[in-house]
Amino acid sequence: MMFQALFLLSAVTLAAGKSGEALEHTGKPVVMDCKKKFVSVEFAAYGIYSSDNSFGLQGSCDPASSSTQKVKDLCEGRNKCEVQASNSVFGDPCVGIRKYLIVKWKCQSYKKGESLEHTGKPVVMDCKKKFVSVEFAAYGIYSSDNSFGLQGSCDPASSSTQKVKDLCEGRNKCEVQASNSVFGDPVSVEFAAYGIHSGDNSFGLQGCVGIRKYLFVLWKCVKKPVFAGTACEHSGKALTMDCGSRSIDVIFAAYGLHSNVNSCGLKGNCKPAASSLQKVKSLCQGKSQCSVQATNSIFGDPCSGIRKYLYAKWQCIP
């Protein structure tokens, strides 16, 4: 039996946002309505999350582990969203036990941009002297309510948000094209129903081929402290990043002579190694503490016979 579940009991404003509970088998969805703002899902649990619930449900039923991600997939970044919480959506975490859904969310104000495939016009995120913080992105047909009047079935690429983060997070300005060359071609609902999850299949079938797509991005411009450090070649002293309990986010690195104004007192002409940023990211990104030596053995030698220095900028993120 396919359960159509969830009775909307309440959606009360809490200090941390909004919360709603809903009971299985009543046929009414949980409704998240943020008007002109955007839904940001913080938590969801489908099962028996706690015996202290509005429906008096008792028993042992650990919520489906995918609950939060599932509600995020359905609702993140929308102005309004309704979720039919049923076994057909979440799976059945405990057969024969009546369940409920609890969802917590916030209504957030973001900057929004859309870009249409094949037009050459990108989504432009310009934060001036602040930094881009990507909250959500979807490349496909995220909603029929879009600026281009696109309709059809093309579920957005699941990697959309991470891809835009990789390209733009922490930058002052960033442009992203709506293109398969950036995101790959998403898999449409019809293809997914046949178990085709990639264009690389023996049938030669391709995801959303023939369906025009668009890119939808939500972001904020944030002012975060930026830390900087220098290490001089042959000094034996490393450039050290320490974010305590938070994580390092490397936003710039240069090994060579980035500028003639430096704490090492070095001058000359030495274009920094092109791989400087990627190398420091590979060593330090996501760690709480990290030390990197200014040495050719790590970065290669961008200018033989010239003493160099390593300069880096980073932020500490949650």
Side-chain angles (χ1 to χ4, degrees):
M1 176 181 179
M2 182 179 293
F3 299 124
Q4 298 296 323
L6 300 191
F7 172 69
L8 179 63
L9 177 70
S10 62
V12 295
T13 301
L14 303 177
K18 298 175 183 292
S19 176
E21 288 184 351
L23 182 62
E24 190 183 15
H25 302 317
T26 55
K28 295 184 179 180
V30 168
V31 179
M32 288 163 265
D33 190 353
C34 286
K35 310 299 182 188
K36 293 183 178 181
K37 293 187 178 182
F38 301 95
V39 173
S40 176
V41 179
E42 296 190 313
F43 173 79
Y46 175 66
I48 298 182
Y49 175 63
S50 168
S51 58
D52 182 18
N53 58 77
S54 303
F55 312 107
L57 296 184
Q58 304 292 316
S60 177
C61 177
D62 290 341
S65 59
S66 61
S67 301
T68 300
Q69 189 57 53
K70 187 64 183 180
V71 178
K72 277 181 172 287
D73 291 343
L74 293 169
C75 299
E76 193 76 9
R78 298 184 185 273
N79 301 113
K80 184 176 181 179
C81 185
E82 299 184 3
V83 182
Q84 288 288 346
S86 69
N87 294 343
S88 64
V89 174
F90 293 95
D92 192 348
C94 39
V95 176
I97 297 178
R98 196 175 190 190
K99 298 164 282 288
Y100 76 99
L101 177 72
I102 179 171
V103 182
K104 295 182 181 180
W105 72 95
K106 287 183 178 179
C107 293
Q108 301 277 26
S109 295
Y110 298 126
K111 295 180 181 292
K112 179 180 77 170
E114 293 181 340
S115 170
L116 182 60
E117 188 183 20
H118 305 316
T119 63
K121 295 181 179 180
V123 170
V124 179
M125 291 162 265
D126 190 353
C127 287
K128 309 300 182 187
K129 293 183 179 181
K130 293 186 178 182
F131 300 93
V132 173
S133 176
V134 179
E135 300 295 331
F136 177 78
Y139 174 67
I141 298 183
Y142 180 57
S143 168
S144 58
D145 181 18
N146 58 76
S147 304
F148 314 109
L150 296 184
Q151 305 291 317
S153 178
C154 178
D155 287 350
S158 60
S159 60
S160 300
T161 300
Q162 189 56 52
K163 185 64 181 179
V164 178
K165 278 182 174 286
D166 291 343
L167 292 169
C168 299
E169 192 75 11
R171 297 181 181 274
N172 302 112
K173 184 177 180 179
C174 187
E175 299 183 0
V176 185
Q177 293 282 350
S179 170
N180 290 348
S181 64
V182 176
F183 296 95
D185 195 355
V187 180
S188 68
V189 172
E190 288 83 0
F191 283 104
Y194 285 93
I196 299 169
H197 303 290
S198 168
D200 183 15
N201 59 78
S202 60
F203 304 103
L205 299 176
Q206 303 294 319
C208 292
V209 170
I211 298 178
R212 200 174 188 188
K213 298 165 282 287
Y214 75 99
L215 172 64
F216 174 78
V217 184
L218 297 175
W219 73 94
K220 285 182 175 181
C221 292
V222 298
K223 186 177 180 180
K224 294 188 289 187
V226 178
F227 303 94
T230 300
C232 312
E233 188 183 18
H234 306 314
S235 68
K237 295 182 179 180
L239 187 156
T240 300
M241 305 175 215
D242 189 347
C243 283
S245 61
R246 295 188 292 170
S247 300
I248 295 167
D249 180 24
V250 183
I251 58 176
F252 180 83
Y255 176 67
L257 291 179
H258 174 58
S259 168
N260 284 331
V261 180
N262 58 79
S263 59
C264 301
L266 301 179
K267 297 183 181 297
N269 183 18
C270 176
K271 186 178 180 180
S275 62
S276 301
L277 177 59
Q278 190 55 48
K279 190 62 183 179
V280 177
K281 274 183 173 287
S282 69
L283 294 170
C284 300
Q285 189 74 12
K287 295 182 178 180
S288 55
Q289 292 90 26
C290 185
S291 294
V292 185
Q293 293 281 349
T295 174
N296 294 342
S297 63
I298 295 176
F299 297 96
D301 192 349
C303 40
S304 181
I306 297 178
R307 192 181 179 204
K308 297 163 285 288
Y309 70 95
L310 172 63
Y311 177 73
K313 292 182 180 180
W314 68 96
Q315 294 173 320
C316 296
I317 60 177

